[in-house]
Amino acid sequence: MKHSLFSPFPAFRLAFLLAPALLAPSFTALRAQGGPQPPPPLMMFYREEVKPGHGAAHAATEAAWGRVLAKGKSTDHYLGMSSLTGPSEAWFIMGYGSYADWEAKHNEGDHNPALKKEIDAISMKDGDHLGGTRSFLGTLRKDLSYGPPVEIGKMRYMRVRTFRIKQGMGPAFEEGVKMALAAYEKSHFPASFAFYEVEAGTWSPTFVVLRPMKSLADMDAMDAANKSFLDALGEAGRKAMQKTFTETVNGVENQLFAFDPKLSYPSSSVVASDPAFWAPKPPKEPAK
């Protein structure tokens, strides 16, 4: 209902913050069972530009949003992330099993006028802390993704890479990715990432690659892993891949995010993965 590589903003929220005709983008159709889950077929991404100095106030508003959705028994769960690099942003990712699933959750508010009224009030407060918003919808490209499913509730960070592709060069870019995938497989690259092709909301063709991480320490091992990857490509493969990407890519944006429980409305399965992180108990009142 709110406001994903993997890295949620509910459709409910989008209906209030954006024009109804604007399509926007949660991690997995977050199911009841825990454990590793494959990336969802459909991902909604929602970006909020947080005004300087408004981080704490924005987080408080987001926490209130989650409480309202929980009280209203919304099934449209999402995960929120705050930027560690680049602009001051909050990203929300929401996963769906299909367009029909997305539509059903989008329409939840029509059957709960009281919840809709509270969401409307919170969206107004949230807007005071934002410099702008952007949403986009992506479909999973399993053929371009890599690695085993992850247990998203145990992840703490997300690396997001956005590829903007030159017009007419989508197929050639995909061939370059598949060349890289073969080398990832050969080198047993120690990571998982999901490729999403943007369907609406921004420049097309665009691909968003999500790589969840348990710790930033995961990146410390990347030098050795990247060397093994390049060795698996070989000199001819490296030159061919570099040529392909030079000819097909307009630009690449790399960002790091940290998952934030205060920005999230997680499913019960995500909470069950690590209750202390996703649903911490409030501190005890000091004895009088």
Side-chain angles (χ1 to χ4, degrees):
M1 291 266 287
K2 177 163 176 61
H3 309 331
S4 59
L5 282 242
F6 301 125
S7 76
F9 234 100
F12 216 8
R13 171 170 194 159
L14 296 172
F16 288 107
L17 292 183
L18 308 172
L22 179 61
L23 293 181
S26 150
F27 199 102
T28 309
L30 296 169
R31 301 177 177 83
Q33 68 269 29
Q37 294 278 354
L42 196 65
M43 181 78 86
M44 180 71 82
F45 299 84
Y46 194 87
R47 301 174 67 164
E48 291 188 342
E49 300 172 16
V50 181
K51 293 178 180 178
H54 285 244
H58 177 251
T61 303
E62 294 298 337
W65 202 310
R67 290 193 295 270
V68 167
L69 293 176
K71 184 176 72 172
K73 300 186 185 326
S74 170
T75 63
D76 204 3
H77 299 282
Y78 57 88
L79 302 182
M81 315 180 289
S82 55
S83 59
L84 296 178
T85 60
S88 175
E89 292 184 338
W91 278 43
F92 303 84
I93 52 176
M94 300 165 287
Y96 300 99
S98 64
Y99 280 95
D101 180 35
W102 179 35
E103 181 181 25
K105 289 183 170 61
H106 179 82
N107 292 334
E108 278 187 352
D110 295 340
H111 309 292
N112 194 335
L115 175 59
K116 193 171 184 178
K117 183 178 180 180
E118 290 192 77
I119 289 293
D120 195 9
I122 292 177
S123 69
M124 294 292 291
K125 294 180 181 179
D126 198 40
D128 293 339
H129 309 303
L130 305 179
T133 62
R134 182 83 183 239
S135 63
F136 48 99
L137 181 70
T139 54
L140 178 67
R141 290 293 304 269
K142 293 177 66 175
D143 59 326
L144 304 180
S145 302
Y146 172 81
V150 304
E151 187 169 0
I152 194 64
K154 293 187 180 299
M155 301 295 112
R156 295 294 174 266
Y157 301 93
M158 184 78 85
R159 180 173 179 176
V160 180
R161 303 188 75 188
T162 304
F163 292 86
R164 299 192 182 278
I165 310 305
K166 297 175 183 178
Q167 292 299 307
M169 300 303 291
F173 170 77
E174 292 177 21
E175 288 305 310
V177 173
K178 291 175 181 178
M179 188 187 310
L181 287 175
Y184 282 131
E185 292 281 0
K186 184 177 180 180
S187 65
H188 305 289
F189 198 75
S192 292
F193 54 82
F195 249 83
Y196 282 88
E197 182 172 3
V198 174
E199 296 292 340
T202 190
W203 171 282
S204 181
T206 292
F207 294 88
V208 179
V209 187
L210 304 176
R211 179 190 161 197
M213 297 181 290
K214 289 184 178 180
S215 168
L216 290 179
D218 291 355
M219 299 185 69
D220 291 332
M222 284 300 98
D223 284 345
N226 286 331
K227 182 180 184 306
S228 296
F229 164 72
L230 293 174
D231 289 344
L233 268 177
E235 184 176 357
R238 290 196 295 272
K239 290 180 179 179
M241 194 173 72
Q242 182 178 20
K243 181 176 184 294
T244 297
F245 288 155
T246 298
E247 293 176 348
T248 63
V249 177
N250 258 327
V252 183
E253 184 177 15
N254 293 294
Q255 295 166 283
L256 284 174
F257 294 88
F259 284 117
D260 189 338
K262 292 180 181 178
L263 304 182
S264 304
Y265 176 53
S267 70
S268 58
S269 62
V270 170
V271 174
S273 293
D274 192 343
F277 179 77
W278 293 106
K281 295 180 180 179
K284 292 182 178 181
E285 292 289 337
K288 294 183 178 178

